[in-house]
Amino acid sequence: LEEYRFEWSKTTAFAIEQILNAKTIILITDEKRRWLEHYILSSLNSEKFDRPLIPIIGIDAVYHHYDYIDNAGMLDMVDDMIAQSHKSDYFFWYIGKGDDKRSDLPKRKDNSYFWILDEGFNNAFTLKSYDENLDIKLLQLYKLFNNSLNAAIFGEVDAGF
């Protein structure tokens, strides 16, 4: 992961800036990374972190039938509902394969944050799905993200926003 630190820094700084500006994170993963979604949702606001709570929700809590969206019109309605509910003070964090249909909604927004597999995309940190150490790297990335968030919240780094 060390060799990708510049790509990581740019994309993560943008996401952390949005968090510091009080935007809600709407987390979406592909099916194979659902375990990571559950882990992030259960650990980001853990009581062991002595910091303000971070507004984060999973897409399934927003729209339980997200997996059954099969046309652009329905995707538009979900997008509109989210924009109305959150007054546009949100961003998507997508983790998974770039060609998965669960990535369609985050790809519509310029401010989305991606840990994307097998595809280059704007504001994306790219990984390979066939990497035998992918799960370990994803956990390491989450730990790095969490530590970066702490450092930005507590002024330990000059975030340069």
Side-chain angles (χ1 to χ4, degrees):
L1 294 175
E2 175 68 21
E3 64 192 64
Y4 301 109
R5 68 185 177 274
F6 295 114
E7 292 86 356
W8 167 262
S9 298
K10 179 183 171 205
T11 60
T12 302
F14 183 64
I16 290 174
E17 176 183 13
Q18 293 185 89
I19 293 168
L20 294 177
N21 287 325
K23 289 190 177 185
T24 298
I25 303 165
I26 300 176
L27 182 60
I28 305 173
T29 65
D30 63 8
E31 187 61 38
K32 285 191 170 186
R33 265 50 66 181
R34 286 273 175 105
W35 65 269
L36 184 59
E37 178 179 349
H38 294 296
Y39 181 73
I40 292 171
L41 290 172
S42 67
S43 67
L44 190 67
N45 286 318
S46 173
E47 67 279 352
K48 69 182 176 183
F49 301 120
D50 189 22
R51 67 176 181 213
L53 296 176
I54 307 301
I56 184 170
I57 54 175
I59 190 66
D60 296 316
V62 175
Y63 185 66
H64 186 70
H65 305 287
Y66 185 71
D67 285 334
Y68 303 105
I69 296 174
D70 61 357
N71 61 62
M74 191 62 195
L75 202 57
D76 288 339
M77 286 195 299
V78 171
D79 192 19
D80 289 344
M81 178 197 57
I82 293 170
Q84 288 177 16
S85 300
H86 294 279
K87 310 234 185 306
S88 298
D89 286 335
Y90 67 94
F91 69 99
F92 294 108
W93 179 4
Y94 177 74
I95 303 169
K97 290 195 62 121
D99 62 357
D100 191 283
K101 75 176 191 169
R102 289 177 63 91
S103 72
D104 291 347
L105 190 56
K107 285 181 175 179
R108 292 173 155 215
K109 301 291 184 188
D110 290 336
N111 68 336
S112 293
Y113 177 52
F114 295 91
W115 293 356
I116 204 160
L117 306 175
D118 304 329
E119 179 180 314
F121 200 76
N122 186 35
N123 254 357
F125 183 73
T126 305
L127 298 155
K128 304 294 182 204
S129 64
Y130 53 83
D131 185 337
E132 65 184 34
N133 295 315
L134 178 62
D135 290 349
I136 293 168
K137 286 180 180 178
L138 288 169
L139 287 171
Q140 289 173 333
L141 287 173
Y142 173 67
K143 183 177 180 181
L144 183 59
F145 175 84
N146 200 33
N147 289 340
S148 300
L149 181 59
N150 276 343
I153 287 173
F154 296 119
E156 297 169 2
V157 294
D158 179 12
F161 309 129

